[in-house]
Amino acid sequence: MVNAGVSGDTSSGGLRRLGWQLRIPPDVLVVALGGNDGLRGILPALTKTNLIQIVDQTKAANPAATIIIAGMQMPPNLGAQFQEEFSAVFPAVAEEAGTGLIPFLLEGVGGIAKLNQSDGIHPTAAGQRILADNVWEVLAPVLQSHIEH
């Protein structure tokens, strides 16, 4: 298990760092990038391109790798069109690239004040537990499958 996350990183940053991570190709990769793209108003098409490239490069390094994309959503402050386009990126990547999907990483946490720190973005410890459950629902069967094989 390697946590290659960098706080505040974008999908572009994750893509730039990927080659270093792929020196030891993963059997399972959970990609939780894109939230900061949305917060910075980065075009959803660029986020999608970056995520597809991350999947493609990982599959090139280990064709048997199982990849899971963690979906994100944005509040409406950048407009309804941006919000819709952004939310559509993650299921589209999962479908096009044949990956697993956590529909919304922050389901049950995003926008709920008591589950987020004072910045309104980062989950509290209680919010992190819910987030972990969201991930585990999709990740547990994948890991079980890898153990059985």
Side-chain angles (χ1 to χ4, degrees):
M1 170 86 166
V2 175
N3 178 355
V6 173
S7 182
D9 209 359
T10 63
S11 63
S12 294
L15 178 58
R16 277 192 302 276
R17 292 184 290 104
L18 185 63
W20 180 80
Q21 288 302 139
L22 292 178
R23 292 180 302 161
I24 302 173
D27 292 324
V28 177
L29 175 66
V30 178
V31 181
L33 289 166
N36 288 308
D37 293 34
L39 292 172
R40 295 177 185 171
I42 292 171
L43 293 175
L46 177 58
T47 301
K48 181 179 178 186
T49 296
N50 289 337
L51 294 174
I52 292 282
Q53 286 183 34
I54 289 169
V55 170
D56 289 348
Q57 288 182 31
T58 301
K59 286 182 178 180
N62 179 4
T66 301
I67 303 166
I68 300 169
I69 302 294
M72 290 298 297
Q73 298 176 12
M74 284 294 116
N77 61 313
L78 293 176
Q81 181 177 348
F82 182 88
Q83 186 181 30
E84 288 175 26
E85 289 176 9
F86 183 84
S87 294
V89 163
F90 305 91
V93 168
E95 183 167 331
E96 290 174 29
T99 71
L101 176 67
I102 300 163
F104 178 35
L105 183 63
L106 296 173
E107 183 69 44
V109 177
I112 300 173
K114 69 180 182 178
L115 295 174
N116 287 278
Q117 298 176 35
S118 60
D119 64 6
I121 297 170
H122 297 96
T124 61
Q128 287 287 349
R129 283 190 285 281
I130 295 168
L131 187 149
D133 289 342
N134 294 341
V135 172
W136 193 243
E137 184 176 330
V138 176
L139 183 58
V142 169
L143 295 179
Q144 186 63 43
S145 173
H146 278 267
I147 291 169
E148 292 169 357
H149 294 109

